[in-house]
Amino acid sequence: MMVMNDHETSIVLIGFMGTGKSTVGQQLAQHLGYEFIDLDAEIVSRQGRTIPELFAQDGEAYFRLQENRILTDLLQHKTRLVIATGGGAVLDDNNCKTMLHNGFVVALTAQLDTIVARVQGDTNRPLLQGDVTERVHALMEARLGRYDFAHCTVETDYLAVEPIIAAIMSAYAKHSLR
Ligand code: S3P
């Protein structure tokens, strides 16, 4: 465990589906001795329903409302968290403000081909059902620039988890010294 600063600001991972937020987040939390929270898993556990069930039964807007409530609640009431958000959490400007205000925001990126390879065959992501390449392409276009507000951005295409974590830790340490 390594404590990097006095503030112990939470770290929020943002990025498109399949950029590795959950995998990186889990290991990053372990390195820092912080609590790891996967926002999607938190929603599923509080709702007692899967994400496809939530989308099918109550619609995307309802899911976004839960996402907003839980994210805001966590960031305003806790520190020393690593939160892996869902790829669409950045669509709500209030979420972005809350992340920037209460956390160190890290964007993970990957190219279309990488993402398609990583999410192919996944039935747990309602927005990617059908022609995966077409869906990823359309959503990436629609979300262009949405992840740019992060304090730091790490490309994940050609990196293993360890160097990604090292890049985040270094940016986090610099941010904490400001
Ligand atoms: C979504 C991403 C998913 C999940 C939901 C919607 C999105 O999370 O929140 O299916 O709109 O990009 P991951 O980014 O962890 O796949």
Side-chain angles (χ1 to χ4, degrees):
M1 172 178 138
M2 177 152 87
V3 175
M4 313 266 307
N5 62 357
D6 294 335
H7 318 297
E8 300 180 332
T9 314
S10 292
I11 299 182
V12 187
L13 300 179
I14 63 167
F16 200 84
M17 292 173 263
T19 49
K21 298 168 301 240
S22 302
T23 310
V24 169
Q26 246 162 18
Q27 294 191 35
L28 179 65
Q30 234 169 30
H31 272 267
L32 288 163
Y34 285 13
E35 181 184 351
F36 173 68
I37 292 179
D38 183 302
L39 193 54
D40 283 344
E42 193 67 25
I43 296 169
V44 166
S45 129
R46 291 196 197 189
Q47 287 281 319
R49 292 183 281 171
T50 65
I51 290 179
E53 280 168 355
L54 279 167
F55 270 68
Q57 292 164 4
D58 290 325
E60 182 175 347
Y62 177 81
F63 173 81
R64 297 292 174 211
L65 193 64
Q66 305 314 312
E67 192 173 46
N68 166 262
R69 283 195 181 144
I70 298 173
L71 180 67
T72 308
D73 182 47
L74 288 170
L75 281 171
Q76 288 182 349
H77 296 105
K78 286 184 155 194
T79 57
R80 293 170 58 86
L81 301 177
V82 174
I83 305 177
T85 61
V90 299
L91 299 176
D92 179 337
D93 289 338
N94 287 321
N95 285 349
C96 300
K97 280 185 204 145
T98 307
M99 291 182 214
L100 278 176
H101 206 252
N102 300 282
F104 178 64
V105 185
V106 178
L108 299 184
T109 65
Q111 289 163 21
L112 182 129
D113 291 353
T114 308
I115 289 176
V116 169
R118 289 179 186 166
V119 301
Q120 197 93 49
D122 185 345
T123 53
N124 204 37
R125 290 179 167 107
L127 298 181
L128 297 185
Q129 298 317 297
D131 181 333
V132 180
T133 307
E134 185 278 318
R135 295 298 302 138
V136 171
H137 180 71
L139 281 170
M140 279 182 102
E141 292 246 303
R143 293 180 182 178
L144 211 62
R146 275 286 174 179
Y147 304 99
D148 293 354
F149 72 97
H151 291 109
C152 99
T153 298
V154 183
E155 289 175 14
T156 67
D157 293 273
Y158 307 109
L159 289 182
V161 177
E162 278 301 323
I164 295 171
I165 288 174
I168 297 172
M169 300 269 272
S170 151
Y172 181 54
K174 281 188 198 132
H175 175 82
S176 305
L177 291 172
R178 285 187 323 180

